[in-house]
Amino acid sequence: MKLDGKNVVITGATSGIGKEAAIEIARMNSCLVLPVRNMEKGEQVKKQIVAESGNSTVYLMKCDLASFDSIRDFAREYKRRFSGLHLLINNAGIWEYKRSETRDGIEMTFGVNHLGPFLLTNLLLDEIRGGAPARIINVSSEAHRYTGMNFDDPEGRKRYSSFKSYGQSKLANILFTRHLAQMLREDGVTVNCMHPGFVATNLFDKIAPFLRPVFGFFMKTPIQGAETIVFLASSPGVDGSTGGYYVNRKKKRPSGAALDNEAAEKLWRLSCQYTGIEETSLITSQFTNQV
Ligand SMILES: NC(=O)c1ccc[n+]([C@@H]2O[C@H](COP(=O)([O-])OP(=O)(O)OC[C@H]3O[C@@H](n4cnc5c(N)ncnc54)[C@H](OP(=O)(O)O)[C@@H]3O)[C@@H](O)[C@H]2O)c1
């Protein structure tokens, strides 16, 4: 897809993989809108994106994915200032070692990694449909294989494990991708998700310092981590391809739990209840187990 003059929203562009993806996508002459939680940090990164890409159509807008009000404010402001959305990249994500909660009292990882992007995407759907042909890319992880969806306790209220919580949120990214892909099949909007690799970013800031050099030895650079996002954003090779999970620019079969259509539908309903989005029903049998 040619991104020249196209409106692109990338979350989590203030660091790591998202920042490198933003620089690369800015180089394609797109109009970048960056929802950021920290405007001061955002200003610094915006300068870097403009300097490295030579593209000055980069806009910062306040959006904290740990607050439904902030996401709603962002979507309202986006609609006021821009017309149509051609590419949405839900990249922002966290790994929380200790259980904490969003402003809405929801476990932080589930809130920021899944419910935040779920709400943001739904609120921008009219703009995305209006921008068709359009693409949505959700940044998931191979960590989705750690676990299944714990619908009895999705927020780890009874028992919290950072591995399970992160893994479940990344599984939710794939279930969300597949459900939304099906919903938008007739609208000229494709929805895919991906794993960036094991990448040296701030995601692992909170791990024991002595482990960092050990991890670092195996890690990709953020530029390498952004490659599959840029591929899914711009390659004509994926025109019309939807509902897929990609690793190293290739489609890969996700876990069995990620292909569970009933779980995808159940998660959709649950996410609607959490965020106040009106439910759109989908007949499970319409799913194609496309991988
Ligand atoms: N690194 C890996 O090995 C790896 C592997 C698989 C998947 N991933 C996924 O890749 C994505 C990008 O992560 P990364 O590795 O590049 O980590 P990172 O360097 O920590 O970047 C995370 C980004 O998310 C933003 N963010 C966090 N909480 C937010 C909130 N409440 N509201 C708005 N933005 C928020 C951060 O903003 P601030 O700058 O303000 O903190 C930052 O821009 C994540 O979805 C992650 O799960 C990473």
Side-chain angles (χ1 to χ4, degrees):
M1 181 166 85
K2 282 218 181 317
L3 292 175
D4 212 322
K6 297 284 170 67
N7 294 340
V8 178
V9 169
I10 309 180
T11 67
T14 44
S15 107
I17 297 161
K19 182 166 85 177
E20 297 306 332
I23 292 170
E24 206 48 52
I25 288 167
R27 285 193 178 119
M28 299 175 193
N29 290 324
S30 56
C31 168
L32 273 193
V33 181
L34 308 179
V36 301
R37 62 174 165 175
N38 178 341
M39 293 297 273
E40 217 171 293
K41 185 174 180 186
E43 287 295 347
Q44 294 303 317
V45 172
K46 176 182 160 180
K47 277 187 198 148
Q48 189 188 344
I49 295 171
V50 170
E52 290 196 25
S53 67
N55 179 351
S56 57
T57 49
V58 180
Y59 303 94
L60 285 181
M61 284 168 63
K62 175 88 178 161
C63 181
D64 182 353
L65 291 166
S67 158
F68 292 157
D69 280 349
S70 177
I71 296 168
R72 287 186 183 280
D73 288 347
F74 169 83
R76 209 174 297 119
E77 184 65 5
Y78 181 90
K79 288 177 191 173
R80 196 181 66 75
R81 289 176 57 181
F82 302 92
S83 173
L85 175 55
H86 308 97
L87 175 62
L88 168 63
I89 303 176
N90 287 311
N91 159 77
I94 52 165
W95 185 320
E96 289 289 293
Y97 289 82
K98 284 193 184 140
R99 192 181 185 284
S100 62
E101 293 185 350
T102 66
R103 300 230 188 114
D104 307 285
I106 294 159
E107 189 278 312
M108 191 63 84
T109 316
F110 189 53
V112 171
N113 291 6
H114 169 63
L115 292 176
F118 175 87
L119 178 61
L120 179 68
T121 307
N122 272 285
L123 293 175
L124 293 175
L125 269 190
D126 286 346
E127 297 301 311
I128 296 170
R129 284 193 178 101
R135 296 182 182 182
I136 300 171
I137 301 164
N138 297 319
V139 177
S140 176
S141 170
E142 278 291 276
H144 81 272
R145 298 184 197 276
Y146 297 164
T147 185
M149 286 301 306
N150 182 356
F151 285 109
D152 292 333
D153 185 20
E155 298 182 51
R157 285 184 186 274
K158 291 177 200 151
R159 196 173 168 181
Y160 182 75
S161 144
S162 72
F163 274 88
K164 284 208 168 150
S165 173
Y166 181 76
Q168 176 183 255
S169 73
K170 293 288 127 182
L171 172 60
N173 294 156
I174 305 181
L175 293 170
F176 169 55
T177 297
R178 296 184 57 251
H179 198 288
L180 189 63
Q182 202 61 33
M183 275 177 57
L184 299 177
R185 198 168 270 281
E186 306 299 321
D187 294 331
V189 181
T190 62
V191 193
N192 289 293
C193 58
M194 49 77 68
H195 164 68
F198 187 34
V199 188
T201 66
N202 295 340
L203 190 74
F204 305 105
D205 261 5
K206 294 170 196 158
I207 62 166
F210 71 92
L211 280 175
R212 285 182 207 151
V214 184
F215 273 31
F217 191 72
F218 302 100
M219 283 171 145
K220 286 185 178 183
T221 65
I223 292 179
Q224 291 168 329
E227 280 173 2
T228 301
I229 296 181
V230 175
F231 167 76
L232 288 172
S234 57
S235 170
V238 288
D239 269 348
S241 279
T242 193
Y245 173 67
Y246 288 75
V247 182
N248 290 327
R249 301 175 186 219
K250 291 204 172 65
K251 227 182 221 186
K252 185 169 176 180
R253 190 178 176 85
S255 68
L259 295 172
D260 181 340
N261 299 333
E262 275 177 32
E265 197 166 351
K266 198 168 173 182
L267 177 66
W268 187 275
R269 288 211 185 94
L270 181 70
S271 309
C272 287
Q273 285 161 15
Y274 268 112
T275 57
I277 289 287
E278 205 177 309
E279 253 181 56
T280 315
S281 67
L282 184 79
I283 301 160
T284 307
S285 60
Q286 282 178 349
F287 269 106
T288 50
N289 260 345
Q290 191 196 41
V291 288

